[in-house]
Amino acid sequence: MDNNLIPIVLEQASTKDVEVLLTWFNNLHEMTYWGGPGMSFPVNAEQFIEQIQFQKKPSYALTDGSGELLAFGQFYRRLDRNHLGRLVVNPDKRGLGLGKLLVQELIVKATELQGHADTSLFVMRDNLPALSLYSSLGFIELTYPEPLHSLLANCAYMILEQPTEA
């Protein structure tokens, strides 16, 4: 994707973005596959906003110049790392490199707001495009050091270590 043609920006997500995001999921499986344990379906916008902890976790939208929502993601501190979560690209825009751009921009933003630190995320083991993307960015799989919810049994825990300055 030639980002020079479309001014793609990462900005704080709005409730309007979250309402659009909600339309990207068609059933409970898709919702929990993306959002993890605690998600429900069907759900209204107010419930969805609560379930994704929109008011508590920094939430960002990747948009184009017209304001179209291209991708969404959140981050927070987990195990002394910037943890990326609820990463998703608009189903109509997949395969264009937006996932890579989203992850790269979220890492920059999380580091800027939360300090220089390593980055972590969870990904479903059968989500081969996402696994390939994260690996290409330098993420490696580690064993998660704490017990996980049974719905996360099929998840890989991946980290990206920041190079140490000499």
Side-chain angles (χ1 to χ4, degrees):
M1 173 179 230
D2 185 350
N3 293 335
N4 295 325
L5 299 178
I6 302 172
I8 297 174
V9 296
L10 184 74
E11 56 196 14
Q12 194 164 3
S14 68
T15 53
K16 179 182 173 255
D17 293 325
V18 175
E19 290 169 2
V20 171
L21 175 64
L22 178 56
T23 68
W24 295 355
F25 305 101
N26 299 307
N27 55 55
L28 180 60
H29 173 75
E30 289 178 4
M31 190 71 80
T32 56
Y33 191 82
W34 166 75
M39 301 300 294
S40 60
F41 189 91
V43 63
N44 66 36
E46 184 177 305
Q47 294 166 325
F48 185 64
I49 285 169
E50 181 67 28
Q51 288 177 13
I52 67 170
Q53 300 178 4
F54 181 69
Q55 305 300 335
K56 296 176 185 173
K57 294 182 179 175
S59 302
Y60 286 86
L62 201 61
T63 63
D64 68 8
S66 71
E68 179 182 6
L69 182 62
L70 303 173
F72 175 89
Q74 296 177 307
F75 59 81
Y76 57 95
R77 296 293 288 174
R78 183 182 203 132
L79 300 178
D80 202 32
R81 291 187 174 94
N82 294 325
H83 187 81
L84 307 183
R86 299 197 175 104
L87 306 172
V88 64
V89 172
N90 180 329
D92 296 332
K93 305 291 183 184
R94 292 182 181 158
L96 301 175
L98 294 170
K100 181 177 184 177
L101 184 59
L102 174 68
V103 171
Q104 290 171 324
E105 292 293 320
L106 284 173
I107 290 170
V108 169
K109 183 60 76 173
T111 302
E112 175 186 306
L113 295 177
Q114 298 183 151
H116 183 76
D118 297 338
T119 303
S120 64
L121 55 79
F122 287 110
V123 59
M124 300 301 278
R125 292 183 190 282
D126 59 351
N127 188 344
L128 300 181
L131 281 168
S132 177
L133 165 68
Y134 305 141
S135 293
S136 76
L137 290 171
F139 282 84
I140 58 168
E141 184 174 348
L142 291 180
T143 301
Y144 192 70
E146 298 177 353
L148 288 173
H149 189 285
S150 62
L151 289 177
L152 296 176
N154 189 35
C155 282
Y157 176 66
M158 301 184 82
I159 67 159
L160 175 66
E161 295 179 324
Q162 297 295 329
T164 55
E165 296 182 25

